[in-house]
Amino acid sequence: MRVIMLVDMDYFFAACEELKKPELKGKPVVVGADPKGGNGRGVVSTCNYEARKYGIHSGMPISTAYRLKSDAVFLPVDEKYYYETSARIMDILKGFASKFEQVSVDEAFMDVSDKVGSYEAALAYANVIKDRILSETKLPCSIGIGTNKLLAKTACEAVKPNGIKLVREEEAKIFLAPMPVGKLYGVGKKTEERLEEMGYKKVEDLQKADLNRLVGLFGTFGAEMQRHAKGIDYDEVSENYEVKSIGREHTFENDTADLDEIIGALKASAAGVIHDVKQQGFSFKTVTIKIRYADFSEHLKGRSLRRYSNSLEDIENTAIALFEGYADKGERIRKIGVRVSGLLAYSGQKKLADYIHA
Ligand code: DCP
Ligand code: CA
Ligand code: CA
């Protein structure tokens, strides 16, 4: 049987702040932009559960958060510290998984099918993982368990914070039925609005929907949504293996959805990459882009060329084509990067290992 887990850290950035300063525990803590006495621009990155009691949440304007609870502890985003902590967590988790896929700074899918043979064993295993994370990092997490990614993720969201939840295959339809369609895995804001307009409000409505109508409205994505509504998901946990590669990244001053700005950053990164590729005497076979959204979720997408190349145009064109798959989402992006791999050294004098950029 296939057993997938989704481990997601609780109130991650704020939990990291509590770790740094234990005296914050029990107080409402908001991490994000500077509230500037209520006139600050920018948004809440996250807040602890104390602060959530006042209605504060991720993505909310910081000025609104300040209005809701002006005497909360407001802290700036200490990205470096959170990513260091994240790396420690991910290292621990990797040891428990046969296949491991990190999907955000604080979240990863794990295929543990080889490690457990039953649902009971899966629950016990999740407890061990949760305890290990807590004892080694002092940070709480939640774990969802199911026969696929969709069920693992949805179970985790349902049990948050500080819990473990298993959804058995035979319970899946009933578990999902009462949820609003916006909660369904893979359904973004725009799709949610469209679904509601068409009369699909709950996942239950999607379960019962006429498949032809859904496909007429949404194409193959319509069929996939109905599968998801029924708790069916074939997506595999895809190992994020580290490739020997050369890459560049660009972090935007302000999170942006502006296409010109994003393409400009891709081109600038490509130019940096080709500089290194040529200087180090390589050609490459694969181009990958990495997108980090404003909410710190990440997407990696790569494409292999027909033959080895060392041209800037190949990097640029491939990177832009790959980005087009995401462009219509219109979501704000925090950071974007380009990377080439499948490297071939021109001369035998240089050892590839000397040129691996993490
Ligand atoms: N984040 C952000 N802006 C968002 C969403 C998230 O900056 N709109 C950052 C801060 C979060 C981290 O990413 O701590 C992880 O996001 P989660 O959605 O997993 O939220 P939390 O871990 O903060 O809370 P939860 O306990 O609900 O998982
Ligand atoms: Ca989280
Ligand atoms: Ca998360």
Side-chain angles (χ1 to χ4, degrees):
M1 104 200 242
R2 196 155 82 115
V3 182
I4 310 297
M5 290 184 185
L6 187 272
V7 180
D8 184 88
M9 304 306 294
D10 298 327
Y11 63 102
F12 185 55
F13 290 4
C16 288
E17 293 296 341
E18 289 180 3
L19 201 59
K20 265 198 273 176
K21 306 181 199 108
E23 67 275 15
L24 293 175
K25 276 228 155 85
K27 295 181 187 163
V29 176
V30 180
V31 178
D34 183 346
K36 296 189 176 154
N39 298 316
R41 299 181 61 223
V43 296
V44 173
S45 257
T46 195
C47 58
N48 64 4
Y49 282 78
E50 245 63 56
R52 291 183 200 193
K53 289 180 191 159
Y54 300 91
I56 302 173
H57 59 78
S58 291
M60 166 184 276
I62 200 77
S63 54
T64 310
Y66 189 82
R67 191 160 46 69
L68 289 168
K69 187 69 181 157
S70 59
D71 60 350
V73 180
F74 287 88
L75 297 170
V77 176
D78 183 355
E79 211 166 311
K80 184 163 175 284
Y81 183 68
Y82 312 147
Y83 275 87
E84 281 166 10
T85 309
S86 166
R88 284 201 291 135
I89 295 164
M90 297 302 156
D91 277 346
I92 297 168
L93 291 177
K94 275 176 206 162
F96 286 98
S98 309
K99 279 198 272 176
F100 182 83
E101 180 183 359
Q102 185 178 345
V103 286
S104 143
V105 63
D106 77 331
E107 185 176 336
F109 284 108
M110 300 164 65
D111 189 324
V112 297
S113 309
D114 297 344
K115 315 275 184 192
V116 296
S118 67
Y119 283 130
E120 288 66 34
L123 273 172
Y125 199 57
N127 267 294
V128 171
I129 295 171
K130 190 166 162 30
D131 288 349
R132 177 72 65 82
I133 295 290
L134 189 63
S135 66
E136 293 202 13
T137 68
K138 305 275 177 282
L139 291 169
C141 69
S142 297
I143 305 184
I145 313 167
T147 48
N148 58 45
K149 283 175 154 182
L150 154 90
L151 291 174
K153 170 80 181 168
T154 319
C156 183
E157 299 209 321
V159 73
K160 223 155 220 319
N162 200 21
I164 294 175
K165 183 173 174 66
L166 162 74
V167 177
R168 291 175 165 77
E169 201 156 25
E170 58 273 22
E171 303 161 341
K173 265 184 89 170
I174 293 173
F175 168 65
L176 297 170
M179 296 182 181
V181 289
K183 288 252 166 175
L184 193 62
Y185 191 49
V187 172
K189 260 261 159 318
K190 282 183 190 163
T191 310
E192 177 186 6
E193 283 168 15
R194 188 100 195 281
L195 282 168
E196 286 182 347
E197 270 168 36
M198 296 297 151
Y200 305 112
K201 301 220 153 46
K202 292 185 169 177
V203 173
E204 193 174 7
D205 303 326
L206 277 176
Q207 291 175 347
K208 291 187 286 203
D210 178 54
L211 179 59
N212 287 326
R213 178 159 187 251
L214 280 182
V215 172
L217 288 168
F218 297 98
T220 53
F221 181 50
E224 181 173 88
M225 274 194 288
Q226 186 164 58
R227 275 200 305 278
H228 284 175
K230 293 176 175 171
I232 301 163
D233 174 22
Y234 301 119
D235 201 18
E236 297 277 340
V237 174
S238 61
E239 201 82 37
N240 347 91
Y241 47 91
E242 282 161 34
V243 282
K244 296 173 167 61
S245 63
I246 294 174
R248 286 287 172 92
E249 295 178 330
H250 178 84
T251 304
F252 296 104
E253 198 90 36
N254 296 299
D255 301 344
T256 182
D258 183 282
L259 285 184
D260 289 340
E261 199 179 353
I262 295 164
I263 303 271
L266 275 176
K267 286 187 171 170
S269 300
V273 170
I274 202 69
H275 172 266
D276 289 2
V277 164
K278 292 205 163 149
Q279 193 183 47
Q280 298 170 15
F282 287 119
S283 55
F284 54 87
K285 192 75 191 286
T286 302
V287 179
T288 303
I289 62 165
K290 176 159 142 181
I291 303 173
R292 181 179 298 162
Y293 286 103
D295 69 356
F296 287 85
S297 61
E298 292 188 348
H299 283 286
L300 265 179
K301 205 156 167 87
R303 181 178 294 168
S304 290
L305 307 170
R306 270 195 216 93
R307 57 186 114 74
Y308 283 94
S309 161
N310 66 354
S311 92
L312 173 62
E313 261 192 309
D314 278 336
I315 305 184
E316 278 188 358
N317 293 342
T318 313
I320 291 169
L322 287 168
F323 174 69
E324 276 164 1
Y326 295 99
D328 61 327
K329 289 179 71 177
E331 278 174 38
R332 287 178 309 118
I333 291 176
R334 179 176 190 83
K335 179 164 156 179
I336 197 156
V338 181
R339 185 162 287 275
V340 296
S341 57
L343 301 179
L344 186 70
Y346 274 159
S347 78
Q349 294 158 357
K350 294 176 175 177
K351 272 205 299 226
L352 186 58
D354 297 337
Y355 300 105
I356 297 166
H357 299 218

